[in-house]
Amino acid sequence: MNTSKGRWLAAMTAVVAAIIAAPVPAQTNELTEIVVTARKRDETLQSVPVTVTAFTAETIKAAGIEAPRDFVAMVPNMTLVEVQNVGNSFITVRGISQARNSEPSVAVLVDGVLEPNPYEFDQELFDVKQIEVLKGPQGALYGRNAIGGAIIIHTADPTDHFEGEGKVGIGNGVSEKAQVAISGPIDAAGTLKYRASLNFYNTDGYLENTYLDHKADPYKDYSGRLRLLWQPNDQWSADLRVFRDRVDTTAYYYVIPRNDEANVFSSFTTPPNANDVTSPIQTNNLGADFRDVLDTAVKLDYNPGYGTFTAISDYNHTKEIDTGDAYDFRPIDTSIANQVFFTFVPPALGGTFDESQSQFIDVTTYSQELRFTSQKTAGFSWIAGAYYVHTDRFISTGNLVDRGQGIPPVYKTPLVDPTNPFATNTNVTFLADSQSNNAWAVFGDATYEFNPQWELDVALRYDEDARANTTETPQNFLPPTSGAVTGEVRHETFSSTQPKGTLRFKTSDDLTFYGGWSRGFRSGGFNQTGVGAVAESEGKLGVHDIFQAEVADTWEVGAKSQFLDRRLSANLALFHTNSHNGYFFFYESTTSTQNLGNLDATYKGAELELNARASDRVDLYASFGYTDGKITHMEDPAVIGNKPPLLTKDTINAGVQYHQPIGDGLNGVLRLDFQKIGQTWWDPYNVTSRDPVNLLNLRAGLNAERWSATAWAKNLTDKIYNAEFSPGGFLWRAPPRRYGVDFTFKF
């Protein structure tokens, strides 16, 4: 055990020991009982035999959770990388990772409705009442792509009486936010209720582009949600939800360090270093990134007395266009494209140039779920259902000539100039594919409680995903060595059975043991047509036009406990996972495409979570996660034994919240949150790893019955680090210190 980890474990042990030894004040309350829906039914967090980290409305508000990055920072063995463009966010859970334009590593549900598109995940979280993070394969209930776990988000429910809440805030980076939510009944009987909420966030950005003398990361978000809940009687309910989101930001402000800026080849001779923060962002194009999300869902429930029939229909349309600089992300005159790659272009055709890039993604999904959830009878309950989703997806990527005259967005057709293939803003490369996918599943879950101590849960799901990929690239843009043809249709079907078995033993209401085995499945897919041939010609192994589906088998045992009159909870989980055909990312620079390959790996680790009500004024939490992993198979045998991509060795999450009554209904609150992200590896070759990163968030505020004012700081110590190292030497800078003041009010 290294010295740093030893100090933190010693500190955690000391905190727990102090809590246990402390006298119990008579006025101290026990920890709040949390009800979760991890198994699609209401159960207490302490008794459900699943590893779950839950955030209640009180915690969400107190911790300032406003986006996925905020709650991920409080979950052991879980990390999030936000890079390149807003639609690409990589969740890694217990080593099971995600990659650009890939299937997700976790299933995400909002109000019981599965989000079928990972491009919509990274969004502002507002008017949310609870978040549940489930770890380990959850495919038996939540389907393909829940291979690492599931995230369940519950938005605030419509209310029986009119109420409203608003929030405004300002901060550094010239940031501003405004939120409002109103709710109440529509008819006199109160059978039809509504809830409407709006969110606006805007910032000039926090990271400096030294070449443009402009912030590299401006961000603007407009989003809104409308829920209508109809409950005419105790048997029927209908829940309609419409969500709309528009993000306006930038993309592709990568950094590739050079030892010598005057020598373009120094970027090839400089050893890759994920810890290098000395080189500035210096793209000559600010770029643009526009993402639009529309999601509409209807959930119908009918309970005749012996169970509940549920029908969920969802329509989602997400599209994103992003433009920006291309490799090596420098001003035109000093770029490697200008100095080396395109020196052959004669002056008559404009002479040498730099490159920019554009990517367009357009995804539409329709899904339908039908299920029945029984009542518990003589200790037995069960769930059975079916699911179907149709997906239409188009993606295009390409490089364009950049002579400093901006970057036009390129959608489905490349920009060409027949008289001059190197004219400003014409496409140098262009690849495009469309997909039509049909996936379906049937699933069942049975739970039998032998007695108050023993319970057995068995679940089984079969998923099948049929995909058809059409090459939309014009023939003259296809790699000549690929043999691909415009209009070519490739078919592939991915399928798997996902079983799960869990045994639970409760010695008392305060102590639960559980253990079991589960299988997760994540669909494969298509890299853009012709990439496999290009990768092979360059000697890159493991990358083909098709990447295979991943299957992961996990053994897990755990314990959940409460002590000191339920003032302290301690939860422990141990796991071992074998992954077959896991993803790794490959950037093909010739075609400027982002691709996936496959490898096998094993993961093993542990998690410890502690929550304590130390007194009526002090709340504490601490958690520790550890994951060890190694690659066991890949087409290139040189990587066997290496760490799998995006593996983080360990995480620590800890915090304290102090309440101080002031008088006249005022209460002061001080909260400190700490996150350690351990050593992280990025690619199968382990060419570099990022050193551990320690982050602090601080919040201080005043609360009254109908208003609150809070000063906050994220990354309080202004830690400068890279959020990602991408194969090819690309570095993505993480945000520096951000701070501001928020004011909330009820009306």
Side-chain angles (χ1 to χ4, degrees):
M1 180 177 293
N2 62 47
T3 304
S4 175
K5 189 190 302 181
R7 285 198 299 265
W8 279 109
L9 285 176
M12 292 170 64
T13 303
V15 169
V16 174
I19 294 171
I20 294 174
V24 182
Q27 70 273 28
T28 299
N29 295 322
E30 62 185 31
L31 291 169
T32 303
E33 184 175 76
I34 300 175
V35 176
V36 297
T37 59
R39 294 194 292 179
K40 293 185 182 285
R41 58 171 67 94
D42 291 345
E43 299 175 278
T44 65
L45 176 64
Q46 285 301 120
S47 64
V48 64
V50 180
T51 303
V52 183
T53 301
F55 303 93
T56 64
E58 292 77 12
T59 303
I60 291 169
K61 181 178 180 181
I65 294 174
E66 297 177 321
R69 70 184 76 90
D70 297 324
F71 70 79
V72 169
M74 301 171 67
V75 179
N77 270 339
M78 189 175 191
T79 58
L80 172 68
V81 178
E82 299 170 280
V83 297
Q84 180 178 303
N85 57 296
V86 69
N88 268 308
S89 299
F90 314 150
I91 287 281
T92 300
V93 186
R94 295 177 171 179
I96 301 295
S97 63
Q98 193 177 342
R100 288 167 178 78
N101 304 324
S102 78
E103 298 298 312
S105 55
V106 296
V108 180
L109 294 92
V110 179
D111 296 327
V113 181
L114 182 67
E115 285 188 355
N117 189 347
Y119 291 100
E120 65 176 307
F121 170 65
D122 193 0
Q123 59 183 249
E124 298 291 302
L125 296 176
F126 58 98
D127 205 28
V128 172
K129 71 174 184 178
Q130 186 159 304
I131 301 169
E132 304 167 25
V133 179
L134 287 58
K135 283 179 283 189
Q138 304 296 326
L141 275 182
Y142 296 109
R144 64 188 179 94
N145 303 335
I147 191 166
I151 297 172
I152 302 172
I153 299 172
H154 301 279
T155 65
D157 293 320
T159 55
D160 295 326
H161 304 283
F162 176 80
E163 65 176 41
E165 184 171 348
K167 180 178 183 178
V168 293
I170 57 173
N172 69 321
V174 197
S175 65
E176 55 193 359
K177 70 180 73 169
Q179 298 173 358
V180 63
I182 57 173
S183 181
I186 294 177
D187 61 339
T191 59
L192 180 61
K193 296 176 284 189
Y194 74 95
R195 189 170 192 97
S197 51
L198 296 172
N199 172 77
F200 170 74
Y201 174 71
N202 179 51
T203 177
D204 286 353
Y206 306 96
L207 297 167
E208 194 69 34
N209 183 316
T210 59
Y211 179 78
L212 295 175
D213 192 23
H214 194 288
K215 296 298 183 184
D217 56 335
Y219 190 95
K220 186 177 294 184
D221 178 275
Y222 307 87
S223 48
R225 183 186 300 109
L226 173 65
R227 283 187 66 188
L228 295 176
L229 180 61
W230 181 55
Q231 295 175 306
N233 51 49
D234 293 338
Q235 291 184 316
W236 285 96
S237 71
D239 191 347
L240 169 67
R241 178 174 61 89
V242 180
F243 174 73
R244 182 76 169 87
D245 185 29
R246 165 75 169 185
V247 172
D248 177 357
T249 182
T250 55
Y252 302 118
Y253 46 90
Y254 282 104
V255 173
I256 298 182
R258 283 184 189 168
N259 282 343
D260 180 4
E261 280 293 333
N263 178 7
V264 296
F265 290 104
S266 69
S267 62
F268 293 104
T269 59
T270 302
N273 183 1
N275 301 295
D276 189 326
V277 294
T278 59
S279 295
I281 298 170
Q282 52 181 322
T283 58
N284 67 282
N285 289 293
L286 187 62
D289 183 2
F290 300 100
R291 185 192 66 180
D292 289 283
V293 177
L294 173 62
D295 192 275
T296 303
V298 177
K299 181 173 178 283
L300 303 174
D301 289 297
Y302 171 63
N303 187 342
Y306 50 85
T308 302
F309 293 91
T310 300
I312 301 173
S313 306
D314 180 73
Y315 166 83
N316 180 280
H317 184 203
T318 300
K319 61 180 180 180
E320 183 171 6
I321 179 73
D322 43 87
T323 64
D325 250 15
Y327 186 87
D328 61 347
F329 308 99
R330 274 179 169 76
I332 295 174
D333 291 342
T334 61
S335 71
I336 196 168
N338 181 281
Q339 296 291 313
V340 178
F341 294 159
F342 296 104
T343 55
F344 66 88
V345 180
L349 294 180
T352 56
F353 55 85
D354 190 12
E355 286 190 312
S356 61
Q357 61 182 307
S358 177
Q359 176 177 271
F360 176 56
I361 296 172
D362 190 347
V363 183
T364 301
T365 63
Y366 309 86
S367 66
Q368 180 67 53
E369 180 176 343
L370 300 172
R371 74 170 182 263
F372 175 76
T373 305
S374 76
Q375 300 278 38
K376 181 182 286 189
T377 303
F380 181 74
S381 60
W382 56 279
I383 298 173
Y387 178 78
Y388 169 80
V389 59
H390 173 77
T391 303
D392 290 312
R393 176 180 183 264
F394 176 88
I395 180 172
S396 67
T397 60
N399 289 122
L400 297 91
V401 172
D402 178 17
R403 293 194 173 97
Q405 299 180 30
I407 314 172
V410 179
Y411 295 92
K412 297 189 175 184
T413 305
L415 301 177
V416 296
D417 185 342
T419 64
N420 182 0
F422 304 112
T424 298
N425 290 335
T426 58
N427 275 89
V428 179
T429 67
F430 180 82
L431 291 178
D433 291 277
S434 62
Q435 287 188 26
S436 178
N437 306 334
N438 291 287
W440 61 272
V442 290
F443 58 91
D445 176 86
T447 303
Y448 182 65
E449 190 175 80
F450 298 94
N451 53 47
Q453 285 75 44
W454 290 96
E455 178 195 89
L456 176 65
D457 183 271
V458 178
L460 182 66
R461 181 175 180 124
Y462 175 78
D463 281 86
E464 184 171 293
D465 185 7
R467 302 191 168 200
N469 186 90
T470 302
T471 302
E472 305 286 358
T473 308
Q475 194 67 43
N476 59 312
F477 279 98
L478 285 167
T481 59
S482 68
V485 178
T486 303
E488 173 188 3
V489 181
R490 295 179 288 160
H491 296 273
E492 195 74 21
T493 298
F494 306 98
S495 63
S496 180
T497 301
Q498 299 182 82
K500 182 176 184 178
T502 305
L503 185 65
R504 185 186 73 181
F505 175 59
K506 290 181 63 175
T507 63
S508 67
D509 290 339
D510 293 333
L511 183 59
T512 299
F513 296 95
Y514 63 94
W517 173 82
S518 57
R519 170 169 291 172
F521 162 67
R522 173 161 54 176
S523 287
F526 301 93
N527 290 321
Q528 288 187 263
T529 307
V531 165
V534 176
E536 184 178 2
S537 69
E538 296 176 352
K540 306 298 184 181
L541 301 179
V543 179
H544 307 281
D545 281 9
I546 294 176
F547 57 92
Q548 299 302 317
E550 180 181 7
V551 173
D553 293 327
T554 297
W555 288 96
E556 181 172 353
V557 294
K560 297 184 177 185
S561 58
Q562 296 184 121
F563 305 100
L564 303 177
D565 295 327
R566 300 190 178 181
R567 291 169 48 232
L568 171 67
S569 70
N571 300 332
L572 175 68
L574 308 173
F575 63 89
H576 185 281
T577 298
N578 283 318
S579 166
H580 178 60
N581 284 332
Y583 294 168
F584 73 89
F585 174 73
F586 170 71
Y587 175 71
E588 206 296 296
S589 58
T590 304
T591 56
S592 190
T593 55
Q594 302 154 16
N595 309 284
L596 298 182
N598 294 113
L599 54 79
D600 297 349
T602 61
Y603 306 91
K604 57 184 178 181
E607 290 143 8
L608 173 65
E609 294 190 71
L610 304 169
N611 287 276
R613 179 69 51 82
S615 73
D616 59 338
R617 297 183 183 180
V618 179
D619 295 316
L620 301 170
Y621 79 90
S623 62
F624 173 73
Y626 173 78
T627 302
D628 183 28
K630 66 178 181 179
I631 298 172
T632 57
H633 176 75
M634 193 177 123
E635 285 187 35
D636 188 344
V639 305
I640 294 176
N642 285 356
K643 301 295 184 183
L646 274 73
L647 175 74
T648 295
K649 182 179 180 181
D650 53 4
T651 60
I652 294 175
N653 318 84
V656 57
Q657 183 167 288
Y658 177 73
H659 306 262
Q660 176 62 55
I662 296 175
D664 295 328
L666 287 179
N667 186 46
V669 180
L670 181 67
R671 182 183 179 97
L672 183 68
D673 291 282
F674 169 79
Q675 179 190 20
K676 175 196 172 184
I677 309 171
Q679 185 178 9
T680 302
W681 292 265
W682 301 100
D683 72 312
Y685 293 90
N686 292 178
V687 297
T688 183
S689 64
R690 187 184 63 197
D691 293 338
V693 175
N694 297 326
L695 302 172
L696 279 175
N697 295 339
L698 180 65
R699 297 175 65 83
L702 287 174
N703 297 335
E705 182 180 359
R706 304 192 66 83
W707 63 268
S708 67
T710 304
W712 56 269
K714 297 182 179 181
N715 190 2
L716 178 66
T717 61
D718 199 23
K719 173 68 176 178
I720 306 302
Y721 66 103
N722 294 312
E724 184 204 28
F725 171 89
S726 179
F730 303 4
L731 297 173
W732 188 264
R733 200 62 42 80
R737 177 168 50 222
R738 291 148 290 155
Y739 54 87
V741 177
D742 294 338
F743 179 72
T744 64
F745 52 93
K746 296 180 180 179
F747 55 89

